[in-house]
Amino acid sequence: MSDTYTARDGIHRYREIACYVEGTHGGSVLVVATPIQSGNPGESLVEQAVDSYVAE
């Protein structure tokens, strides 16, 4: 799931990714978020983290 939201202060916006990752011995929920800014290098880093996460 991918979503965007604005913090309670009404100023800061974030992109959030949440997913269930199932592994051999169980699963886990992974939730990551990054501020939405033009040219934010954190967005691609967040996507890389999600893509590389492995549940055991």
Side-chain angles (χ1 to χ4, degrees):
M1 178 195 97
S2 179
D3 195 11
T4 59
Y5 62 91
T6 303
R8 289 183 181 157
D9 63 11
I11 299 170
H12 298 94
R13 292 185 38 83
Y14 295 89
R15 177 172 177 235
E16 180 180 81
I17 300 172
C19 58
Y20 178 75
V21 182
E22 191 168 338
T24 311
H25 302 291
S28 58
V29 175
L30 176 65
V31 179
V32 294
T34 187
I36 297 175
Q37 302 170 357
S38 62
N40 180 4
E43 284 211 37
S44 63
L45 184 60
V46 163
E47 290 174 359
Q48 290 174 22
V50 170
D51 289 342
S52 65
Y53 183 81
V54 177
E56 294 192 14

